[in-house]
Amino acid sequence: MNKRTIVIAVLLLGAAAAFAQPHRSEAAVRALMEDPSRAGNNTNSYEFHEIKDTKPPKGYKPFYISHYGRHGSRSNWGGKAYEDLIATLEEGQRMGILTPGGDSLLVAARRVLASYDGMDGRLSQRGVREHTAIAERMFKRYPEVFKGDRKVRAFGSTVQRCLISMNAFTTSLTRQNPKLYFYLDTGEKFMDYLDNEHGWQQKAAPAMRPAMEAVRSLPDDTLGVLSRIFTDVPKSRTFVKSARSLTENLWNTAIISEDFDIEDNLFRFLPFDALYKRWAQSNIMLYTGHCNSVEAGDSRVPMAKSCVEDIVAKADECIATGAYCADLRFGHDYPLMALVSYLGIEGVGDRIPADQICDKWLGFWNIPMASNLQIIFYRNKSGDVLVKFLYQEQEKLLRGLEPDYGPYYKWEKVKANLEGYKR
């Protein structure tokens, strides 16, 4: 029995009573049992899934790509959770009551702390690889776009992790075609459309309250963590004053470990109900704070207007002049969620009431590290322009807008419907 099988078996036991408890999302339970590292939602490393392409109508060929990519896997903020977890485990080790699993947890927690190295929000090498791979797949999927001595524009958030992501992406394209010319830029001028959060998450707190109250009724077996780490639970209580605090420290260490290429799944130390509850809280906060929420979306989503206007302006310029074959933007998760909600990208941009969020919107699919929107432009000899939308490299439709062929839309039709997210 391999490690993955053992992890799933343990989670199945923990989740067996899930549907006798207050409501849980069946889709989320299945996905989290399959891979508990998804529980971190926007800290989940990028998951690539097989690409399926619908052929465009006869005579249409791709000629331009408009893109917005979130930075790749990164460190989280603050090392206190790791330090406190390590201190607790070291005390258990000193007293001789760590389980074999507790010993491995201590080793992994030390690796997380060393990888963090006091640097908040730093792109990890996994993040570099994520963008390198996405760029390579983009090139091989649409070689006609990048053929010859074409020009590419790339704009990055002033934040380091975005700039290193941009570097990884453009370097990967260069390896595919050394003739490409890149116009690269960053600066405060571009932050209005690359990072348009403006402290909105704090303002959205009242809208989250009803859904978060419902999550609070879910079970939370924080005491179960002790038995997975310590051989003598009563003895551990002499120095573990709060099982909840220990669980939170473990959670904060587990959600970031994969981003540092630490494959020892630390979520196995969390009983399933403790894992699910924290996933649900994170999921509700992300969606209500930055997506097309019934309760808050009408205030949050329009903040993406500047990015939509930039996409339209640059696309129309390139349609008219052919000056650039691609416009690449490198930013952050919150603005990307608002952007795809504005555009009405199916699944991630759906309009959902608070009591249905966890059933219909799963953050580990919708906003992992290196999340990306790609708008692919096609043209025929008559000059008619079609577009299709890719999210996480998968074909997507637009909510409330009928496509003209398969996943393809007339560009002018899309522009005319840019206010459609309000419906």
Side-chain angles (χ1 to χ4, degrees):
M1 185 178 289
N2 60 33
K3 184 181 77 172
R4 186 179 181 87
T5 303
I6 293 170
V7 169
I8 292 175
V10 170
L11 290 172
L12 282 168
L13 289 172
F19 305 108
Q21 303 288 349
H23 176 73
R24 301 192 202 207
S25 161
E26 293 184 31
V29 168
R30 286 195 300 270
L32 293 172
M33 286 195 295
E34 180 182 64
D35 184 353
S37 68
R38 293 169 179 154
N41 283 320
N42 63 332
T43 59
N44 183 33
S45 296
Y46 189 72
E47 294 188 48
F48 171 68
H49 297 277
E50 182 181 356
I51 289 172
K52 296 180 180 178
D53 271 318
T54 302
K55 288 186 177 181
K58 187 176 179 179
Y60 284 85
K61 295 182 179 180
F63 70 97
Y64 170 71
I65 297 174
S66 185
H67 156 279
Y68 187 111
R70 182 194 180 193
H71 58 75
S73 289
R74 52 141 174 82
S75 62
N76 231 337
W77 277 259
K80 190 174 187 302
Y82 322 141
E83 293 168 351
D84 289 352
L85 176 61
I86 290 168
T88 300
L89 295 171
E90 286 178 341
E91 182 61 18
Q93 187 180 64
R94 187 187 68 79
M95 297 180 71
I97 61 169
L98 278 188
T99 63
D103 282 320
S104 69
L105 175 59
L106 176 56
V107 171
R110 286 170 173 163
R111 287 184 64 195
V112 170
L113 181 61
S115 298
Y116 166 61
D117 199 23
M119 288 182 273
D120 291 341
R122 177 195 187 195
L123 194 78
S124 68
Q125 289 307 299
R126 191 183 191 106
V128 171
R129 295 197 307 273
E130 287 164 346
H131 277 278
T132 298
I134 292 168
E136 182 177 346
R137 289 192 294 268
M138 177 190 284
F139 184 96
K140 291 181 177 178
R141 194 172 182 179
Y142 303 107
E144 307 98 320
V145 172
F146 300 101
K147 187 177 180 180
D149 55 349
R150 303 301 309 278
K151 295 179 180 180
V152 179
R153 280 186 295 208
F155 297 86
S157 158
T158 56
V159 179
Q160 174 264 8
R161 57 187 174 276
C162 299
L163 296 177
I164 302 300
S165 295
M166 180 169 73
N167 176 267
F169 201 103
T170 55
T171 299
S172 181
L173 289 177
T174 300
R175 278 198 291 268
Q176 303 302 314
N177 178 9
K179 293 182 179 180
L180 289 174
Y181 171 83
F182 290 91
Y183 175 95
L184 308 177
D185 210 345
T186 187
E188 293 300 327
K189 177 180 177 181
F190 311 116
M191 292 299 277
D192 180 58
Y193 67 82
L194 290 174
D195 188 14
N196 54 35
E197 182 213 347
H198 306 305
W200 169 253
Q201 183 137 337
Q202 289 75 22
K203 298 176 185 177
M208 299 178 195
R209 196 166 293 126
M212 295 298 280
E213 286 293 335
V215 170
R216 289 190 184 97
S217 68
L218 292 170
D220 187 9
D221 182 15
T222 57
L223 293 177
V225 174
L226 300 179
S227 62
R228 300 182 180 203
I229 297 175
F230 303 110
T231 58
D232 189 332
V233 171
K235 201 170 186 178
S236 73
R237 297 311 299 266
T238 63
F239 59 91
V240 178
K241 303 303 180 184
S242 169
R244 185 172 299 278
S245 293
L246 174 60
T247 302
E248 293 296 336
N249 291 334
L250 174 52
W251 167 264
N252 285 313
T253 304
I255 62 173
I256 209 67
S257 60
E258 188 180 55
D259 295 337
F260 293 131
D261 287 322
I262 298 170
E263 302 296 343
D264 184 9
N265 198 322
L266 307 188
F267 288 99
R268 74 184 189 275
F269 297 101
L270 293 168
F272 189 81
D273 60 11
L275 180 151
Y276 182 89
K277 186 169 187 172
R278 285 160 181 78
W279 166 80
Q281 290 171 331
S282 165
N283 201 62
I284 290 167
M285 289 176 66
L286 286 167
Y287 178 82
T288 309
H290 302 287
C291 294
N292 211 358
S293 160
V294 168
E295 291 78 11
D298 289 339
S299 297
R300 173 60 175 109
V301 172
M303 294 168 70
K305 185 176 183 180
S306 59
C307 192
V308 172
E309 289 175 343
D310 181 74
I311 288 171
V312 171
K314 284 186 169 70
D316 282 346
E317 174 196 358
C318 291
I319 289 169
T321 68
Y324 294 91
C325 67
D327 279 299
L328 311 174
R329 302 163 187 84
F330 296 88
H332 305 266
D333 50 356
Y334 297 166
L336 178 55
M337 285 188 283
L339 171 62
V340 295
S341 296
Y342 196 120
L343 295 172
I345 304 295
E346 68 169 354
V348 64
D350 291 345
R351 190 164 179 80
I352 305 171
D355 61 350
Q356 297 178 26
I357 293 171
C358 290
D359 288 308
K360 296 185 176 180
W361 195 91
L362 305 177
F364 43 78
W365 299 137
N366 289 334
I367 197 64
M369 300 292 187
S371 287
N372 56 95
L373 170 69
Q374 300 176 25
I375 309 174
I376 316 300
F377 288 71
Y378 294 75
R379 185 162 47 196
N380 64 9
K381 291 183 179 180
S382 300
D384 295 324
V385 176
L386 296 178
V387 296
K388 76 171 178 178
F389 294 80
L390 306 179
Y391 194 64
Q392 320 302 30
E393 303 175 81
Q394 304 299 314
E395 293 179 341
K396 296 290 183 180
L397 298 179
L398 301 183
R399 180 175 56 84
L401 189 64
E402 190 69 23
D404 294 275
Y405 176 89
Y408 297 90
Y409 296 85
K410 292 184 181 298
W411 176 232
E412 294 301 321
K413 181 177 178 179
V414 169
K415 288 196 294 182
N417 191 61
L418 286 177
E419 298 300 310
Y421 68 89
K422 292 181 178 179
R423 293 200 305 271

